[in-house]
């Protein structure tokens, strides 16, 4: 499931080619602001997929280490606190740090533009690295 979520983030981070039907794009019926909003939405969607992938990898790691059910089915904050005891300290720190950044990127605020393409790509790189470290 983790790999599928990362693949979903990759699709959302793609150029967006083919997302708008050709006849509609050719007529110029879609103003440029819609394309900009769509790019921001895709970035936020990719952040959601990456956060879910990270949470899934953490849950799998905790299950493999026989963490109590209350920890595995509780909040993500509890899971990341518990992770500090059953993963390398640096891996747990990196996982928590990228999860916090993804949480901020996932939430919509009227006064913020949303995560940029570069931010989400950096988060993707970090999530893939942390997932690999957790699956060892």
């Amino acid at each position: 499931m983790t790999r599928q979520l990362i693949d979903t983030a990759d699709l959302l981070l793609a150029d967006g080619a083919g997302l708008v039907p050709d006849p509609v794009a050719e007529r110029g019926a879609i103003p440029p602001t819609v394309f900009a909003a769509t790019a921001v939405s895709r970035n936020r969607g990719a952040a959601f997929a990456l956060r879910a992938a990270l949470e899934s990898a953490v849950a799998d790691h905790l299950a493999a280490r026989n963490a109590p059910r209350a920890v595995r089915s509780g909040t993500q904050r509890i899971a990341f606190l518990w992770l500090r005891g059953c993963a390398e300290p640096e891996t747990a720190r990196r996982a928590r740090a990228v999860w916090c950044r993804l949480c901020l990127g996932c939430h919509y605020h009227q006064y913020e533009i949303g995560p940029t393409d570069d931010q989400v790509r950096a988060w993707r790189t970090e999530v893939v690295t942390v997932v690999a470290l957790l699956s060892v």
Side-chain angles (χ1 to χ4, degrees):
M1 179 162 137
T2 302
R3 185 71 240 169
Q4 292 171 330
L5 289 165
I6 292 171
D7 290 343
T8 299
D10 289 341
L11 287 172
L12 289 167
L13 288 172
D15 290 343
L19 293 178
V20 178
D22 287 340
V24 175
E26 287 173 8
R27 285 183 288 155
I30 299 175
T33 55
V34 173
F35 285 119
T38 303
V40 170
S41 298
R42 285 195 316 263
N43 289 341
R44 186 167 280 121
F48 270 108
L50 290 170
R51 187 177 79 178
L54 180 62
E55 291 171 354
S56 176
V58 168
D60 291 347
H61 186 80
L62 293 176
R65 303 304 186 277
N66 296 322
R69 182 163 167 60
V71 170
R72 289 181 282 136
S73 62
T75 66
Q76 289 302 311
R77 289 178 189 251
I78 292 171
F80 281 98
L81 284 172
W82 193 269
L83 185 64
R84 291 173 24 189
C86 62
E88 292 293 323
E90 181 63 14
T91 302
R93 185 200 63 76
R94 288 175 73 177
R96 169 92 171 142
V98 74
W99 180 76
C100 288
R101 288 180 291 207
L102 285 166
C103 286
L104 288 174
C106 289
H107 292 289
Y108 174 78
H109 301 286
Q110 289 180 336
Y111 50 86
E112 291 180 359
I113 296 173
T116 65
D117 205 41
D118 290 338
Q119 285 176 314
V120 179
R121 289 181 192 285
W123 296 338
R124 184 215 178 271
T125 301
E126 185 67 7
V127 167
V128 169
T129 302
V130 169
V131 166
L133 290 171
L134 288 174
S135 58
V136 172

